[in-house]
């Protein structure tokens, strides 16, 4: 048996079906474009995965999405991840997947990544020797690439491991964060596709911008390692990407100001947007901020949902099928 | 008295002269352009500073430099730093400075920064209430800007505090590094001016390069915080600046290979070059590497000096005037 198992074994060979939930996430976290993210409690995608005899991967159903999502496994984020898992392990059997979307696509909260991770965590539990979470990362990246056209793990990483995660091409590292620190995440009901929010980044970046962002990243990482909010407060500013993306998010500057006015360590766009997040030293501040941010969107005539979560948010988890 | 004093007080008001030594440094450290550096034992600049009644700063003499250096205080790195100190503290008296250069200018080892820091540390000891080291940083930046045309603290920071230092515009943070880790630093006897090595960075950087470098920076910082050489080994690669500067350093690829062939965690150009450094887990490896790197320069017909130092190198220090 693998000593690093993070999954409970589903009892014996007879388990043919498992269900997992992967939670939302804040991507980029202002200073770590494509490499830094944290999970967020309170919303998630569920995947029910069944082991099937045919050597293939099938998407059986997708519930709860207002978008038309690909049912062709190779073009579906969850399907592509399971195909990659099958290939890498040389599995004889296949998988059938049913997805229950709880995170809106194009929200900047990792909607595609969550389906991918939930499906992998469920499928992994059906293996004779489930892999450690880190070992699922490369399959998840294969799935994410299908959805976003870019191989980045800042949503996948925190969903797999929980909390704040540094996700490079080859590796996931969970970073320490004080338990008391919370995030306010507000999702306005406007759609912004990841591909569109990437297009505004096509031009080059000046050295001065890059150096300023490096310094901010270093301050945030050091602040998290030391549990020092002063350092995070100094560094949690996106000078590279936010200025280019802010015009794509209606009402952004007003919402960001609302986040900052409530004692935020910093605030920016989550992932490709349009969701906006702020980081707080205390849950109460995050709760007040979430209301103020939603009110700011409302002033622009935009409805929104809010989430308040520890930055040490939950990892994806197996759930009882009875929940179904 | 200031509780954070890091200088011993020179006894009573009557001390009119102090001498300080600031050591060489590795700038940029591959992944932290302009913000990350560490000090290096074995070479340094000395400054003798005298308190004078005239409300001015004078450069009395500069010894040991093959270059013509500015004797006009406002255009000299040490002079400009002391002028800035005088102005900020509203001092009635002035300073006279004598510099003894031990670090070659245009070497990439912080030659101008060392004169600046040595002068500040000596002058600080002559104040009625010496400032903590961190408080000298902004004056040092004023001096460095005169010398290099760019306000960056990756040499100044480690010289002021010792060891590996994150130097942002406003702040210095000493980062933990295992005591056993060493650096090999090889200085070829060719001159490369900081301004020239900055000119090649004028063009913009692609997002993919920036993200790769971010990831490397995050790996190195996390590796240092954890004392995990595997992470540093993965991250200590400059994908942003080194490719553009390498053609300015004769024999660079051969010298870098020699550094890597001796178990380096990583190797790159120090500061603006032409010096080349490698990081090692053990002193023995750094010593073997330094010889191999010097041999590689020799094969190109270039003489060089080598230094081997803990990455936790020394901070600038007051020295007895009898050394004079």
């Amino acid at each position: 048996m693998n000593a690093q198992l993070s999954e409970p074994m589903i009892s014996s060979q007879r388990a043919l079906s498992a269900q997992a939930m992967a939670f939302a996430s804040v991507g980029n976290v202002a200073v770590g474009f494509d490499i830094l993210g944290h999970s967020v409690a309170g919303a998630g995608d569920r995947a029910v995965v069944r082991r099937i005899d045919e050597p293939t991967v099938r998407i059986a159903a997708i519930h709860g999405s207002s978008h038309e999502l690909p049912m062709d496994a190779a073009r579906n984020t969850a399907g592509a991840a399971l195909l990659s898992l099958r290939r890498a392990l040389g599995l004889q059997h296949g998988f059938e997947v049913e997805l229950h979307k709880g995170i809106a696509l194009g929200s900047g909260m990792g909607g595609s990544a969550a389906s991918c991770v939930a499906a992998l965590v469920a499928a992994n539990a059906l293996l004779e020797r489930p892999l450690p979470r880190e070992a699922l990362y490369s399959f998840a990246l294969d799935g994410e690439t299908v959805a976003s056209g870019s191989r980045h793990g800042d949503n996948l990483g925190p969903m797999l491991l929980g909390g704040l995660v540094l996700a490079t091409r080859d590796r996931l590292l969970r970073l320490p964060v004080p338990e008391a620190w919370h995030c306010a995440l507000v999702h306005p009901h406007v759609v912004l596709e990841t591909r569109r929010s990437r297009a505004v980044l096509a031009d080059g970046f000046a050295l001065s911008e890059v150096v300023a962002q490096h310094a901010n990243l270093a301050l945030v990482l050091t602040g998290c390692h030391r549990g020092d909010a002063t350092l995070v407060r100094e560094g949690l500013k996106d000078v590279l990407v936010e200025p280019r993306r802010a015009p794509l998010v209606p009402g952004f500057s007003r919402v960001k100001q609302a986040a900052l006015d409530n004692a935020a360590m910093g605030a920016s766009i989550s992932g490709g947007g349009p969701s906006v997040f702020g980081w707080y030293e205390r849950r109460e501040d995050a709760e007040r901020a979430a209301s103020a941010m939603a009110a700011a969107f409302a002033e622009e005539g935009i409805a929104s949902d809010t989430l308040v979560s520890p930055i040490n948010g939950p990892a994806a988890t197996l759930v009882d099928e009875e929940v179904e």
Side-chain angles (χ1 to χ4, degrees), chain A residues 7-50:
Chain A
E7 311 303 349
M9 281 290 283
I10 300 282
S11 60
S12 88
Q13 316 289 56
R14 264 160 302 170
L16 292 174
S17 165
Q19 183 177 195
M21 167 84 102
F23 296 89
S25 63
V26 168
N28 297 346
V29 194
V31 292
F33 185 79
D34 273 4
I35 63 165
L36 196 64
H38 70 84
S39 58
V40 174
D45 283 8
R46 273 186 302 125
V48 181
V49 177
R50 293 177 199 89

Side-chain angles (χ1 to χ4, degrees), chain A residues 59-123:
Chain A
I59 308 295
I62 304 177
H63 306 286
S65 175
S66 54
H67 290 55
E68 198 73 45
L69 290 170
M71 300 294 287
D72 171 11
R75 292 175 45 242
N76 178 291
T77 176
L82 296 192
L83 284 167
S84 173
L85 175 74
R86 275 199 76 246
R87 253 195 318 275
L89 302 186
L91 299 179
Q92 301 298 309
H93 62 82
F95 298 107
E96 185 180 80
V97 187
E98 204 179 299
L99 296 170
H100 299 259
K101 300 292 300 175
I103 307 170
L105 284 169
S107 65
M109 296 160 62
S112 62
S115 292
C116 173
V117 168
L120 275 170
V121 168

Side-chain angles (χ1 to χ4, degrees), chain A residues 275-301:
Chain A
S275 294
V276 179
F277 78 97
W279 270 22
Y280 300 87
E281 289 178 73
R282 306 178 319 155
R283 185 174 186 100
E284 308 87 270
D285 294 331
E287 281 170 350
R288 253 187 306 111
S291 302
M293 292 159 77
F297 271 126
E299 285 176 43
E300 304 276 337

Side-chain angles (χ1 to χ4, degrees), chain A residues 11-309:
Chain A
S11 60
S12 88
Q13 316 289 56
R14 264 160 302 170
L16 292 174
S17 165
Q19 183 177 195
M21 167 84 102
F23 296 89
S25 63
V26 168
N28 297 346
V29 194
V31 292
F33 185 79
D34 273 4
I35 63 165
L36 196 64
H38 70 84
S39 58
V40 174
D45 283 8
R46 273 186 302 125
V48 181
V49 177
R50 293 177 199 89
R51 202 157 78 180
I52 58 177
D53 289 335
E54 303 94 305
T56 186
V57 173
R58 280 199 302 261
I59 308 295
I62 304 177
H63 306 286
S65 175
S66 54
H67 290 55
E68 198 73 45
L69 290 170
M71 300 294 287
D72 171 11
R75 292 175 45 242
N76 178 291
T77 176
L82 296 192
L83 284 167
S84 173
L85 175 74
R86 275 199 76 246
R87 253 195 318 275
L89 302 186
L91 299 179
Q92 301 298 309
H93 62 82
F95 298 107
E96 185 180 80
V97 187
E98 204 179 299
L99 296 170
H100 299 259
K101 300 292 300 175
I103 307 170
L105 284 169
S107 65
M109 296 160 62
S112 62
S115 292
C116 173
V117 168
L120 275 170
V121 168
N124 189 44
L126 301 174
L127 300 180
E128 272 184 54
R129 294 167 177 262
L131 301 168
R133 282 289 166 93
E134 287 85 350
L136 300 179
Y137 181 46
S138 68
F139 313 127
L141 280 172
D142 289 342
E144 178 71 311
T145 307
V146 163
S148 72
S150 156
R151 198 172 174 86
H152 60 101
D154 57 329
N155 294 117
L156 301 167
M159 290 175 186
L160 283 165
L161 302 190
L164 180 69
V165 171
L166 171 66
T168 70
R169 280 183 165 259
D170 305 313
R171 183 190 280 278
L172 297 179
L173 287 172
R174 182 158 178 177
L175 304 177
V177 173
E179 287 299 325
W181 290 6
H182 277 70
C183 137
L185 178 60
V186 181
H187 169 223
H189 296 171
V190 291
V191 173
L192 196 62
E193 273 182 47
T194 307
R195 284 172 200 270
R196 186 169 162 224
S197 65
R198 285 194 171 252
V200 297
L201 306 177
D203 291 341
F205 296 86
L207 183 61
S208 57
E209 294 178 301
V210 175
V211 172
Q213 188 86 341
H214 273 155
N216 286 347
L217 172 61
L219 283 168
V220 170
L221 292 178
T222 306
C224 287
H225 275 288
R226 296 189 185 176
D228 183 340
T230 305
L231 298 184
V232 174
R233 201 172 283 279
E234 241 174 79
L236 196 61
K237 299 177 181 84
D238 179 357
V239 298
L240 209 61
V241 172
E242 186 188 296
R244 290 161 171 85
R245 281 189 172 168
L248 301 180
V249 180
F252 175 72
S253 64
R254 183 180 286 205
V255 174
K256 180 178 175 180
Q257 197 55 52
L260 295 175
D261 287 345
N262 285 279
M265 289 185 267
S268 189
I269 301 167
S270 174
S275 294
V276 179
F277 78 97
W279 270 22
Y280 300 87
E281 289 178 73
R282 306 178 319 155
R283 185 174 186 100
E284 308 87 270
D285 294 331
E287 281 170 350
R288 253 187 306 111
S291 302
M293 292 159 77
F297 271 126
E299 285 176 43
E300 304 276 337
I302 299 167
S304 62
D305 300 316
T306 64
L307 290 170
V308 170
S309 163

